[in-house]
Amino acid sequence: MDITHIHSLFLQCNSVSIDTRKIEPKSLFVAIKGENFDANTFAKVALEKGASYVIIDNNEYYIDQRTILVENSLIALQALAKFHRQYLKLPIIALTGSNGKTTTKELINVVLSKKFRTKSTIGNLNNHIGVPLTLLSFDAKTEIGIVEMGANHKKEIEFLCGLANPDFGYITNFGKAHLEGFGGVEGVIEAKSELYNYLFENKKTVFVNLEDAIQVEKTKNIKSYSFGINKENADVNISSIAANPFVEIHFSNSLIQTHLIGLYNANNINAALTIGKYFGVEDLDIKEALASYVPENNRSQLITKDTNQIILDAYNANPSSMAVAIENFLQLDKSNKIMMLGDMFELGSESHHEHQVIVDLLSGQEKVICYFVGKDFYSNKTEKPNFHFYKTFDDFSESLQKSKIENSSILIKGSRGMALERTLSFL
């Protein structure tokens, strides 16, 4: 595989695609095999739709000189992305963590874009395919790249760092996410810290939240730039934070009012503020950027439907994010509170226990109506007047349509596979 030649052809293209449904004119199509399909079969379709070149790994689907035949298309995509990153030589910020990665990435992007031409991971394209696609979206005009990295097993962050070669890194937190793949919380810490290991070995810089003892311990020997709340030893000292329901940050004699709900988002905001300061963004620009950001895609969205006010946080969930979302909701000065909570996935042998922990967390909240949806919550069914358990979403929606919910504050939270945003159509 002549990666230099492939890269020269890539530079003639406007974009890269792995999905013929999203082919753009003058694009490079990479045929990656999936569990249930062979994308090589779509190579001809990609060219017909306007792709300039296609990368395939099955000679049976060779078409003409526009076809690039490699041994493995996925490996070729990753190698191309790594080569392109080295070719551009731009500073890259890598971001990982159990909760808040995507929100923090978007906040960093809006802050840095006040001064630089930035590009960042689109959506949550943060795995072994998404990171290469992100790197290949950067071009000569990009001044700073922001790369989100996700993982559900050890050595994955290490591999992604090898592709992206980040100059800076930040870990949002270490929580109970993907326990099935990591083998417990200690495994989560070990896996996420692969970013720290990479930054240390390559003498790069890490951003550190001094409120997080694990971060402080793990970054002792790494060049760092820190933030904290009322911490004089921090490079960026935040005066105070508050939320009811929107987060407010007091910083540098200024009040930053945001559209983000919950104190659990404060660290995400503070990280973006800190990274903005590191790169020399003016305080007023940082304030304007953070104040203007409005969350979407089912992440901490505040939605009003008729007389109900809804916090929609249904993009994903794990025990850590579920607990902080619940605690934040309980602290809000609101009446008629309702929680609609869906199963948390990928917890392996810990699933029954972790769902029971959430049920126990709410056992003393007799004034809060709680709907638990999914087989894992259902297996922890508890008889309480304000508790309602449903094995499936269909069972829940059928019951919900018979109810009349008015003048209520509602939290909707669950893993992506539960798709609890569907609840909105019944409210």
Side-chain angles (χ1 to χ4, degrees):
M1 179 171 60
D2 185 349
I3 199 65
T4 303
H5 174 64
I6 295 175
H7 186 254
S8 69
L9 299 179
F10 159 74
L11 291 178
Q12 299 173 27
C13 300
N14 294 331
S15 62
V16 177
S17 177
I18 60 171
D19 187 342
T20 51
R21 294 169 299 182
K22 300 176 183 177
I23 286 288
E24 298 175 355
K26 292 194 67 178
S27 62
L28 170 65
F29 174 71
V30 184
I32 297 177
K33 294 186 181 75
E35 291 183 7
N36 302 311
F37 64 90
D38 181 358
N40 287 285
T41 62
F42 296 104
K44 184 177 180 181
V45 173
L47 291 173
E48 289 172 348
K49 286 190 171 185
S52 296
Y53 299 98
V54 294
I55 293 178
I56 64 170
D57 54 14
N58 187 333
N59 191 44
E60 291 180 23
Y61 298 97
Y62 186 91
I63 300 161
D64 54 33
Q65 71 278 4
R66 296 172 296 171
T67 311
I68 305 165
L69 180 64
V70 297
E71 188 172 332
N72 184 295
S73 294
L74 175 58
I75 292 175
L77 175 71
Q78 294 165 342
L80 177 62
K82 183 175 182 178
F83 186 92
H84 185 60
R85 188 271 177 271
Q86 295 167 341
Y87 170 82
L88 289 178
K89 296 182 173 61
L90 79 165
I92 284 181
I93 303 168
L95 183 72
T96 191
S98 298
N99 309 316
K101 293 185 295 296
T102 300
T103 297
T104 304
K105 176 249 322 183
E106 292 180 358
L107 289 168
I108 294 169
N109 192 40
V110 296
V111 168
L112 293 182
S113 64
K114 285 287 187 178
K115 182 178 179 181
F116 303 96
R117 289 190 293 270
T118 64
K119 279 193 176 181
S120 65
T121 300
I122 298 173
N124 68 329
L125 288 173
N126 59 19
N127 63 4
H128 64 295
I129 297 174
V131 168
L133 291 174
T134 296
L135 294 172
L136 291 169
S137 73
F138 302 159
D139 56 33
K141 294 180 180 178
T142 309
E143 294 177 311
I144 296 179
I146 306 159
V147 179
E148 180 182 332
M149 296 180 177
N152 55 20
H153 58 268
K154 294 177 183 178
K155 299 298 181 181
E156 193 167 3
I157 297 297
E158 179 182 288
F159 175 77
L160 297 177
C161 284
L163 299 181
N165 187 20
D167 303 281
F168 306 90
Y170 177 64
I171 299 178
T172 58
N173 47 44
F174 304 89
K176 295 179 179 180
H178 304 294
L179 296 181
E180 187 174 19
F182 291 129
V185 176
E186 288 303 317
V188 172
I189 296 171
E190 181 183 343
K192 300 298 182 183
S193 294
E194 289 166 13
L195 175 58
Y196 290 154
N197 299 339
Y198 189 91
L199 296 170
F200 172 73
E201 292 168 3
N202 291 277
K203 297 181 174 57
K204 304 296 186 179
T205 300
V206 63
F207 297 105
V208 181
N209 175 11
L210 297 183
E211 308 294 324
D212 187 325
I214 300 175
Q215 288 192 39
V216 173
E217 175 64 27
K218 290 285 186 179
T219 59
K220 281 182 177 178
N221 301 314
I222 310 176
K223 185 168 64 172
S224 65
Y225 192 80
S226 65
F227 66 91
I229 301 168
N230 284 320
K231 292 188 182 295
E232 293 183 2
N233 61 325
D235 292 296
V236 176
N237 189 6
I238 313 296
S239 301
S240 67
I241 59 174
N244 191 30
F246 297 114
V247 180
E248 295 181 349
I249 305 290
H250 285 269
F251 164 73
S252 188
N253 298 317
S254 180
L255 173 64
I256 303 176
Q257 296 177 309
T258 76
H259 294 281
L260 284 158
I261 295 170
L263 282 175
Y264 55 90
N265 268 312
N267 284 332
N268 302 335
I269 297 164
N270 292 339
L273 186 161
T274 299
I275 293 171
K277 289 290 291 182
Y278 180 90
F279 284 97
V281 181
E282 296 292 334
D283 286 357
L284 182 58
D285 287 335
I286 292 174
K287 178 179 178 178
E288 288 178 352
L290 295 174
S292 66
Y293 174 75
V294 178
E296 51 187 23
N297 298 327
N298 307 322
R299 290 183 174 92
S300 297
Q301 288 180 259
L302 188 65
I303 297 171
T304 299
K305 291 205 71 174
D306 296 326
T307 61
N308 298 311
Q309 191 174 65
I310 303 160
I311 297 175
L312 180 62
D313 195 6
Y315 184 81
N316 218 338
N318 57 54
S320 301
S321 66
M322 182 74 82
V324 295
I326 289 171
E327 288 164 5
N328 175 77
F329 185 69
L330 292 176
Q331 291 169 8
L332 296 180
D333 184 18
K334 302 286 184 180
S335 57
N336 301 328
K337 291 181 179 178
I338 297 173
M339 293 189 186
M340 300 176 179
L341 308 177
D343 276 355
M344 303 171 288
F345 293 179
E346 295 186 52
L347 298 179
S349 61
E350 295 295 314
S351 185
H352 182 81
H353 168 72
E354 293 297 346
H355 284 84
Q356 183 64 58
V357 169
I358 297 300
V359 173
D360 292 345
L361 178 64
L362 291 164
S363 61
Q365 302 295 327
E366 296 179 358
K367 293 184 179 180
V368 180
I369 298 174
C370 301
Y371 296 96
F372 300 95
V373 187
K375 61 181 180 60
D376 292 309
F377 269 128
Y378 194 82
S379 69
N380 290 281
K381 189 174 182 180
T382 304
E383 296 296 333
K384 290 179 68 70
N386 60 319
F387 280 12
H388 307 278
F389 291 82
Y390 302 90
K391 188 174 287 188
T392 68
F393 181 82
D394 289 342
D395 293 340
F396 172 54
S397 63
E398 183 179 343
S399 173
L400 196 60
Q401 290 176 70
K402 297 175 183 176
S403 306
K404 190 172 184 180
I405 297 177
E406 296 177 320
N407 302 308
S408 298
S409 296
I410 304 168
L411 170 66
I412 301 176
K413 178 76 174 172
S415 276
R416 181 83 306 268
M418 293 301 299
L420 283 191
E421 65 275 8
R422 293 178 288 173
T423 304
L424 293 177
S425 62
F426 305 116
L427 292 173

